[in-house]
Amino acid sequence: MKTGLFQPLSLAIGLRYAGSRRSNRFVSFISLFSTFGIAIGVAALMVVISVMNGFEGQLKGRILGVIPHVVLTNQAGRIDAHPEGLPDLAKLPHVVATAPMLDSEGMLQSPGQLTGVSVQGIDPARWPKEDILHSQMLGGRLDSLKGGEYQIVLGQGVARRLGVGLGDPVRLILTEATRFTPFGRVPAQRIFTVSGIFGVGADVDDQIALIALADAQRLLRLPPETIGGLRLWLDDPFAADAVIKTPLPAGYQWQDWRRERGELFQAVAMEKRMMGLMLVLIIAVATFNILSALVMVVTDKEGEVAILRTMGMNEAGIVRIFMVLGASSGVIGALFGALAGLALTLGLNPLLNGLGLNLYMAAGGSGLPVIVEPMQVATILSGAVLLSFGATLYPAARAARVKPAEALRYE
């Protein structure tokens, strides 16, 4: 007789019980119900988590594709364009590109409207070509921003509010820089020409305006050697911790995207965890059905358990039999649920379109975003199986405590 986690005899008897017709139809119904419950819970959890991954991925790509991932600056927000004593930023983990930047808050005025914007002075020549802005330009080009030409690139929300398009003039007012006149302090201002409009499909479209770095320095009355900071692009914005733990010389500091958008992504992560917890409870309820069904099976099989004990099977062997019997429902349910979940996830948008229920597409989207993470699938599958095994422990231990003499007294 071989040894292992399950001896062949225990495994064979457990699978024989699992595949046999039970005399108690109610027990069979509960066992079948628990299998379907686990399958439904696993499938629902996979679909919901994959859709939440998709929304999180869209937010990461669209919002974090425009705002800086990490910025090296100082407390005043003004550093030398070529700082000394810094580590080689290009060699830091996850860093794919670096560029100088200069940011400020300002106002944009068209002939009939006025709106507030976050102004970023950039150097398009050092802007990575694979950045989302290059692919999301609705008109014009990012490369049109050249020092001294006073061109400006607007988000589509800003352009819509101002009622302007390509080639239209707008007045940029920066309250950070002022000059004294006989009429008092006057903010720095300049007429710019709209040379590009971008639309990433997020709220940054309503907030961002881009100008050439040299033009921003002139408006803010800063020398060419002074910038706001060095912007770092990461291959994964969520890996910012790996960068900001790098020590810097005195006077310098790291800032990352969580300063502006941390609460949004924390809320998304919390929502994903809470929805996952709610669906895990469905799986947990199904495993309780396994427990109740197995308790009734143990009661029904007391005579057979007593016979096995009298033939020499020890308590551990009895425990293994009923663990195999109970866990088989969980394993089958988890496997079918995983297959159904993958099929539903990959075919979710065609299915919703066919039923006329794709409200996300009806609202102007291209369909529900879906990202399937293999590690999450493996975690869901293994978690459902472990819960099923856990539900068998009490009934299996109860079966092992059956006393042969008492069970066979009336046989």
Side-chain angles (χ1 to χ4, degrees):
M1 182 176 292
K2 296 180 181 180
T3 60
L5 178 60
F6 293 113
Q7 295 179 2
L9 179 60
S10 300
L11 179 62
I13 295 175
L15 294 177
R16 177 73 177 269
Y17 280 165
S20 64
R21 291 186 176 181
R22 298 189 178 95
S23 58
N24 191 328
R25 293 184 178 179
F26 181 67
V27 174
S28 298
F29 171 76
I30 292 179
S31 179
L32 184 63
F33 183 80
S34 62
T35 301
F36 276 108
I38 290 175
I40 292 172
V42 169
L45 184 55
M46 286 180 57
V47 171
V48 170
I49 291 298
S50 297
V51 172
M52 293 298 294
N53 287 341
F55 279 114
E56 187 178 58
Q58 278 200 347
L59 286 175
K60 184 195 296 186
R62 297 187 178 200
I63 295 179
L64 301 186
V66 178
I67 68 172
H69 297 166
V70 177
V71 176
L72 187 152
T73 184
N74 58 16
Q75 188 67 33
R78 298 291 182 263
I79 65 173
D80 187 79
H82 304 285
E84 298 180 356
L86 296 179
D88 188 347
L89 301 181
K91 294 183 179 180
L92 294 181
H94 302 285
V95 174
V96 296
T98 64
M101 65 169 292
L102 184 58
D103 58 345
S104 181
E105 298 299 320
M107 303 287 291
L108 277 175
Q109 183 182 29
S110 67
Q113 298 293 333
L114 181 70
T115 186
V117 290
S118 175
V119 182
Q120 293 184 12
I122 67 170
D123 182 358
R126 296 183 59 179
W127 202 275
K129 297 299 181 184
E130 63 277 5
D131 188 81
I132 188 174
L133 278 184
H134 286 288
S135 60
Q136 298 297 322
M137 294 296 294
L138 305 179
R141 296 172 52 195
L142 197 63
D143 298 339
S144 63
L145 301 179
K146 298 178 181 179
E149 296 186 4
Y150 296 101
Q151 310 277 354
I152 189 168
V153 173
L154 305 178
Q156 62 176 343
V158 177
R160 188 183 303 116
R161 285 205 304 269
L162 293 174
V164 297
L166 294 178
D168 291 337
V170 292
R171 183 181 296 274
L172 176 60
I173 304 169
L174 298 183
T175 56
E176 180 181 339
T178 59
R179 60 189 179 88
F180 290 96
T181 70
F183 303 99
R185 299 182 65 176
V186 177
Q189 53 186 298
R190 179 82 189 201
I191 299 294
F192 281 75
T193 302
V194 178
S195 63
I197 297 176
F198 66 85
V200 297
D203 62 345
V204 290
D205 293 342
D206 302 324
Q207 303 167 355
I208 301 294
L210 305 174
I211 62 177
L213 177 62
D215 293 342
Q217 290 170 328
R218 290 191 187 97
L219 275 176
L220 293 171
R221 295 180 176 82
L222 297 175
E225 296 79 21
T226 300
I227 59 175
L230 292 171
R231 175 174 179 171
L232 280 63
W233 281 263
L234 309 184
D235 54 13
D236 180 8
F238 288 175
D241 283 333
V243 175
I244 63 177
K245 68 181 182 181
T246 304
L248 296 173
Y252 291 96
Q253 64 182 28
W254 295 112
Q255 293 178 358
D256 61 65
W257 60 268
R258 289 171 295 188
R259 181 184 179 190
E260 298 181 13
R261 303 288 175 166
E263 293 183 357
L264 171 62
F265 284 89
Q266 286 177 359
V268 172
M270 178 62 71
E271 184 177 359
K272 185 164 67 171
R273 285 195 292 267
M274 293 307 298
M275 294 183 71
L277 178 60
M278 290 173 60
L279 293 170
V280 165
L281 292 178
I282 296 177
I283 302 175
V285 170
T287 59
F288 275 109
N289 290 331
I290 292 178
L291 188 151
S292 59
L294 201 56
V295 167
M296 288 185 279
V297 170
V298 169
T299 303
D300 189 50
K301 301 290 185 182
E302 281 188 353
E304 297 176 24
V305 171
I307 292 172
L308 290 172
R309 291 298 307 278
T310 57
M311 293 178 65
M313 181 170 283
N314 56 22
E315 292 185 359
I318 299 296
V319 168
R320 286 191 283 267
I321 288 174
F322 285 93
M323 286 184 69
V324 170
L325 174 59
S328 61
S329 296
V331 172
I332 294 171
L335 290 175
F336 273 103
L339 293 175
L342 282 174
L344 278 173
T345 300
L346 298 177
L348 185 59
N349 283 305
L351 176 63
L352 292 178
N353 292 338
L355 297 175
L357 298 176
N358 202 332
L359 302 180
Y360 188 73
M361 182 173 289
S366 58
L368 282 173
V370 174
I371 297 178
V372 179
E373 294 284 352
M375 186 58 66
Q376 289 181 343
V377 174
T379 301
I380 293 170
L381 191 59
S382 59
V385 172
L386 289 175
L387 282 174
S388 302
F389 270 102
T392 66
L393 295 178
Y394 169 73
R398 180 175 173 177
R401 291 196 298 268
V402 170
K403 296 180 179 179
E406 294 182 3
L408 297 174
R409 179 181 299 174
Y410 302 107
E411 295 291 334

